[in-house]
């Protein structure tokens, strides 16, 4: 299959019309959102949704997020709308927040990965919202990478993974945020964070009170443990290189890596200390780290890195999202120089 690319910068109307037509015909189209690029299809058409799983190579039990452009599209997709969801929607939608509720019968099982719940988000990206609105559809749209690879934050990386697999990529330039949405479940009494993102735990708790944080956010699931969010159990965000996170000061990190013939993933401004370095944002600006992380992981592959040692991000605020992605890309390998010092 030939994969066409249309840029919204030069051909906005054509991008809307062509994508809308293909989506209504049951095809898959890659689209920009403010988080990462999404692989979109009509969420209510099981045959169209199946094509997303095939294009990504995504396991069938890993559910998709359904994207809406207007609050009126929410009610038909769910059994009921919890009060806290209304409060959250008012503050954070449109934006990088996904909320999970009991699904209604119109949501096909293939979209929800066989679960009786559905994840819903209203993106802020103007093109994504226009497309949902003008196509008259709600769109299932997981990240537009091959399953297991880092999520794509620009159209080139989508093309690298999806060329020949889908008919159309809409190029909307680089994504504003660079990591996927915050995912929070409202299917139990206490809301539960399943995936951290730009909307932080602190912001959510200020608005609706205490939430719980799923174990899988920071820890590796044990073999027999059931994932609240199926996506958490799969290998994720992994470049070809073998990554380890190194906890400790910059000086400890320099000492530890100095005799190793490897790459480092460090913060901006630190790169002159190393022979082969790729940077991922500033040490004291977690938003800039979120913005750079997936690009940095792909750059490491482009440079042919085999072994990579990564600086450890702070886990406060948006840093929790950065750490959550990096630790998965490192297969949970952490070298703790701090605890060696303390012991
Ligand atoms: P992606 O589409 O790549 O951004 O991934 C979506 C994430 O949301 C995955 O980690 C899914 O497992 C999770 N997710 C989607 N729907 C549900 C659901 N109904 N229950 C729990 N997790 C979900
Ligand atoms: Mg993904």
């Amino acid at each position: 299959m030939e994969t066409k690319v249309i840029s919204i910068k030069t051909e906005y109307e054509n991008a809307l019309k062509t994508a809308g037509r293909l989506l209504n015909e049951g095809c898959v189209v890659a689209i920009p959102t403010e988080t990462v690029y999404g692989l979109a299809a009509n969420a209510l058409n099981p045959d169209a949704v199946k094509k997303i799983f095939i294009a990504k190579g995504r396991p069938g039990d890993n559910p998709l997020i359904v994207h809406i452009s207007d609050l009126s599209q929410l009610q038909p997709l769910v059994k009921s709308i919890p009060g806290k969801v209304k409060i959250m929607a008012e503050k954070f939608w449109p934006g990088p927040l996904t909320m999970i509720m009991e699904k209604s019968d119109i949501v096909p099982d293939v979209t929800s990965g066989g679960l009786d719940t559905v994840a819903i988000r209203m993106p802020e990206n103007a093109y994504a919202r226009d497309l949902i609105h003008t196509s008259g559809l709600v769109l299932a749209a997981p990240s537009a990478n091959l399953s297991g690879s880092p999520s794509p934050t620009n159209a080139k990386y989508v093309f690298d993974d999806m060329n020949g697999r889908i008919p159309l990529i809409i190029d909307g330039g680089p994504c504003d945020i660079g990591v996927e949405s915050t995912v929070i479940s409202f299917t139990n009494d206490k809301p539960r964070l399943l995936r951290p993102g730009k909307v932080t735990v602190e912001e959510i708790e200020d608005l609706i009170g205490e939430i719980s944080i799923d174990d899988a956010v920071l820890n590796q699931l044990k073999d027999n443990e059931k994932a609240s969010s199926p996506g958490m159990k799969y290998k994720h965000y992994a470049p070809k290189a073998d990554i380890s996170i190194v906890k400790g000061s910059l000086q400890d990190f320099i000492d530890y890596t100095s005799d190793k013939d490897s790459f480092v993933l460090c913060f901006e401004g630190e790169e002159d200390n190393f022979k082969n370095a790729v940077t991922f944002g500033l040490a004291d600006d977690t938003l800039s780290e979120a913005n750079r992380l997936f690009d940095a992981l792909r750059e490491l592959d482009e440079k042919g890195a085999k072994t990579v040692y990564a600086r450890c991000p702070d886990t406060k605020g948006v840093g929790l999202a950065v750490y959550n992605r990096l630790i998965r890309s490192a297969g949970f390998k952490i070298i703790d120089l701090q605890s060696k010092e303390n012991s």
Side-chain angles (χ1 to χ4, degrees):
M1 171 187 321
E2 194 205 339
T3 302
K4 218 176 145 197
V5 181
I6 301 178
S7 164
I8 65 167
K9 218 168 165 186
T10 48
E11 295 186 77
Y12 195 89
E13 286 309 317
N14 184 24
L16 272 186
K17 220 175 71 208
T18 311
R21 178 176 54 75
L22 285 169
L23 289 167
N24 271 289
E25 286 169 3
C27 297
V28 174
V29 177
I31 61 167
T33 84
E34 72 276 20
T35 55
V36 299
Y37 274 74
L39 211 51
N42 177 356
L44 306 185
N45 174 346
D47 290 332
V49 172
K50 274 181 206 149
K51 292 180 190 166
I52 297 180
F53 283 89
I54 293 167
K56 272 183 76 78
R58 182 168 170 119
D61 68 349
N62 192 1
L64 308 179
I65 295 171
V66 178
H67 293 70
I68 61 175
S69 61
D70 192 280
L71 263 187
S72 64
Q73 293 167 310
L74 174 59
Q75 183 68 68
L77 300 170
V78 297
K79 284 240 162 78
S80 66
I81 306 176
K84 285 182 178 170
V85 167
K86 290 185 190 147
I87 297 170
M88 292 278 284
E90 185 134 324
K91 170 129 176 132
F92 295 114
W93 276 359
L97 173 78
T98 296
M99 295 193 272
I100 294 175
M101 287 157 264
E102 308 279 330
K103 84 172 185 73
S104 72
D105 292 340
I106 69 163
V107 179
D109 284 345
V110 60
T111 303
S112 68
L115 298 174
D116 49 18
T117 55
V118 61
I120 299 176
R121 171 163 112 84
M122 188 192 291
E124 191 169 16
N125 179 283
Y127 173 81
R129 294 178 68 199
D130 269 1
L131 179 64
I132 296 167
H133 182 71
T134 56
S135 67
L137 303 172
V138 292
L139 299 178
S143 50
N145 51 286
L146 287 173
S147 197
S149 304
S151 303
T153 58
N154 62 51
K156 178 194 174 297
Y157 290 148
V158 178
F159 192 82
D160 287 349
D161 279 16
M162 290 297 148
N163 184 23
R165 294 176 163 261
I166 59 173
L168 179 64
I169 297 169
I170 302 299
D171 183 352
C175 298
D176 287 342
I177 297 173
V179 289
E180 307 87 340
S181 58
T182 303
V183 177
I184 180 164
S185 170
F186 288 88
T187 56
N188 294 90
D189 282 350
K190 198 172 184 184
R192 174 182 288 262
L193 181 83
L194 301 184
R195 179 172 76 185
K198 161 121 191 294
V199 175
T200 63
V201 173
E202 294 85 343
E203 284 176 300
I204 296 170
E205 291 193 328
D206 273 354
L207 190 66
I208 58 167
E210 207 193 355
I211 62 170
S212 53
I213 300 192
D214 199 84
D215 264 359
V217 167
L218 288 174
N219 303 302
Q220 188 166 23
L221 285 170
K222 315 238 171 12
D223 278 350
N224 54 358
E225 215 170 339
K226 190 173 174 293
S228 325
S229 178
M232 295 282 189
K233 72 183 180 201
Y234 295 109
K235 183 166 174 251
H236 232 127
Y237 316 120
K240 295 184 188 79
D242 182 54
I243 302 192
S244 302
I245 299 178
V246 181
K247 280 189 177 166
S249 68
L250 173 60
Q251 193 55 53
D252 289 344
F253 186 86
I254 293 170
D255 294 345
Y256 182 78
T257 55
S258 63
D259 61 345
K260 296 182 173 59
D261 187 25
S262 51
F263 273 72
V264 305
L265 184 59
C266 64
F267 300 119
E268 252 166 65
E270 299 175 350
E271 59 273 29
D272 289 348
N273 294 295
F274 311 99
K275 202 164 76 201
N276 294 314
V278 170
T279 61
F280 72 116
L282 295 158
D284 57 358
D285 178 359
T286 48
L287 208 51
S288 75
E289 292 163 24
N291 199 264
R292 273 284 303 153
L293 180 68
F294 288 138
D295 282 7
L297 293 174
R298 285 190 182 248
E299 272 173 42
L300 284 164
D301 276 350
E302 285 167 354
K303 293 189 166 168
K306 299 273 179 297
T307 309
V308 178
Y309 295 99
R311 295 271 280 136
C312 185
D314 187 11
T315 55
K316 283 202 257 343
V318 182
L320 187 63
V322 179
Y323 184 79
N324 168 274
R325 306 309 191 274
L326 185 57
I327 198 171
R328 282 177 168 69
S329 65
F332 291 88
K333 287 192 297 300
I334 297 179
I335 297 159
D336 193 348
L337 302 176
Q338 278 164 331
S339 72
K340 274 186 197 140
E341 255 166 35
N342 298 337
S343 61

